[in-house]
Amino acid sequence: MADTALVDPETGLTQAQLAARHGLRVAGERPSLAEYSRRLWSYRHFIAAYANAKLVASYSNAKLGQIWQVLTPLTNALVYYLIFGVVLAQNDMPNFIAYLTTGLFIFNFTQSAVLAGTQSISGNLGLIRALHFPRASLPLAATVTQFQQLLASMVVLVGIVLATGEPITLKWLMVVPALLLQAVFNAGIVMLVARMGSKASDLKQVMPFILRTWMYGSGVLYNVTLFERLPGWATTVVQFNPMLVYIELARYSLLERAPLLNESLAQLWLVGAAWAVLAGVGGFIYFWRGEQEYGRG
């Protein structure tokens, strides 16, 4: 078969050869993983600024402004305490108020990040089509925004923990690495659902149901020792639930006598770190592999 490639009459080179000579590449071509990581790092200031702008804009129409960063988690804690602490009388554990609010705030960090990440690509098509930048900046910015929200929630949580009689101990320092592990885990999960959401717009309708089921299976609202009533294999599976692990790490750090499903602290840290690496690296690679797809079609 004859070669149908167009040849430049002056140089005698094909178009592909000319492009290679002058360093031209296919528009929208996916860079290597290392190059993509380098570009993403160079956009770290954009990610931080975009996340901050999204946070400020989310409260721009409210009269109390960013005070709602504190009022929202506080109101949620009050509502759930009235239901589970008063109406259902979940008082079979010491300091149920702090136990409940710790679980709520830690889980809400992941829940809010996943919900925002699901639409981080599909909801920013105008920006994606207008500008050239690593698309992972958007789901990472969503994670950073929710991390900022978490910091405000932690101020409320510390106040609740102290007000309910918990002492300040050195264990409190452990909450910092626990939250950092959860943040890495969240970033990976957010990038995973961001790519999935860019392909299936209905995912944002289904995700709240998935997250609600996940919350009930993570011991957020009740004593986690209730899982011990399950068959042995089911209890073992629940112990490896990443959200249960991060919640238990936070409860162990802040509360003096928090009941734990997994009493092995070493195993909690090991599983928490493993989930952070698995989700962080896996989510990043999965998102990178779809880089050339975003904003098309």
Side-chain angles (χ1 to χ4, degrees):
M1 182 181 294
D3 187 5
T4 58
L6 296 179
V7 177
D8 181 73
E10 296 183 3
T11 62
L13 300 176
T14 65
Q15 291 180 336
Q17 292 170 331
L18 280 171
R21 169 183 286 187
H22 296 285
L24 301 179
R25 307 181 71 87
V26 177
E29 182 183 37
R30 183 181 67 209
S32 67
L33 186 60
E35 174 63 18
Y36 189 71
S37 301
R38 187 192 66 78
R39 293 182 188 177
L40 188 60
W41 175 251
S42 69
Y43 274 82
R44 62 190 182 280
H45 301 298
F46 164 75
I47 295 173
Y50 185 75
N52 188 61
K54 293 286 286 185
L55 181 62
V56 173
S58 63
Y59 296 103
S60 60
N61 294 325
K63 290 184 178 181
L64 296 179
Q66 290 186 280
I67 296 178
W68 280 107
Q69 284 185 259
V70 176
L71 291 180
T72 299
L74 190 59
T75 304
N76 286 336
L78 178 60
V79 170
Y80 279 108
Y81 175 70
L82 289 175
I83 296 174
F84 290 91
V86 177
V87 177
L88 299 181
Q90 287 276 346
N91 53 10
D92 59 338
M93 70 182 75
N95 200 353
F96 179 70
I97 298 176
Y99 183 90
L100 172 66
T101 50
T102 301
L104 281 173
F105 290 0
I106 297 301
F107 185 83
N108 187 67
F109 175 32
T110 295
Q111 177 178 252
S112 300
V114 170
L115 289 175
T118 303
Q119 302 182 68
S120 60
I121 296 298
S122 59
N124 290 286
L125 292 180
L127 181 63
I128 291 173
R129 290 168 179 169
L131 301 174
H132 179 70
F133 61 94
R135 308 314 188 196
S137 301
L138 297 176
L140 288 179
T143 306
V144 173
T145 299
Q146 297 308 319
F147 187 76
Q148 292 174 315
Q149 293 269 31
L150 174 67
L151 295 181
S153 298
M154 292 305 294
V155 173
V156 177
L157 179 58
V158 167
I160 293 174
V161 169
L162 290 175
T164 52
E166 294 290 339
I168 298 177
T169 66
L170 289 176
K171 287 199 309 177
W172 280 35
L173 296 176
M174 297 172 61
V175 79
V176 176
L179 293 181
L180 291 178
L181 286 177
Q182 186 187 4
V184 174
F185 171 80
N186 286 358
I189 295 298
V190 166
M191 285 187 282
L192 175 71
V193 298
R195 182 180 176 185
M196 295 171 62
S198 69
K199 296 180 177 181
S201 58
D202 289 342
L203 183 63
K204 65 180 180 181
Q205 308 298 334
V206 178
M207 192 56 68
F209 299 99
I210 297 175
L211 290 169
R212 191 174 301 121
T213 303
W214 197 5
M215 180 177 70
Y216 293 144
S218 300
V220 175
L221 307 173
Y222 45 81
N223 193 330
V224 293
T225 57
L226 292 175
F227 288 122
E228 294 176 352
R229 301 176 183 178
L230 298 173
W233 64 268
T235 303
T236 301
V237 170
V238 171
Q239 287 179 333
F240 287 90
N241 174 356
M243 285 315 305
L244 178 66
V245 170
Y246 295 129
I247 289 171
E248 292 212 309
L249 285 174
R251 283 171 172 164
Y252 177 84
S253 302
L254 297 176
L255 308 181
E256 194 173 30
R257 294 181 295 164
L260 301 176
L261 180 62
N262 189 338
E263 297 182 357
S264 172
L265 185 60
Q267 182 175 327
L268 277 177
W269 283 109
L270 183 61
V271 174
W275 272 116
V277 172
L278 180 63
V281 175
F284 180 64
I285 293 176
Y286 178 75
F287 186 90
W288 161 73
R289 290 180 63 85
E291 179 72 8
Q292 72 275 18
E293 306 170 1
Y294 308 129
R296 298 189 176 186

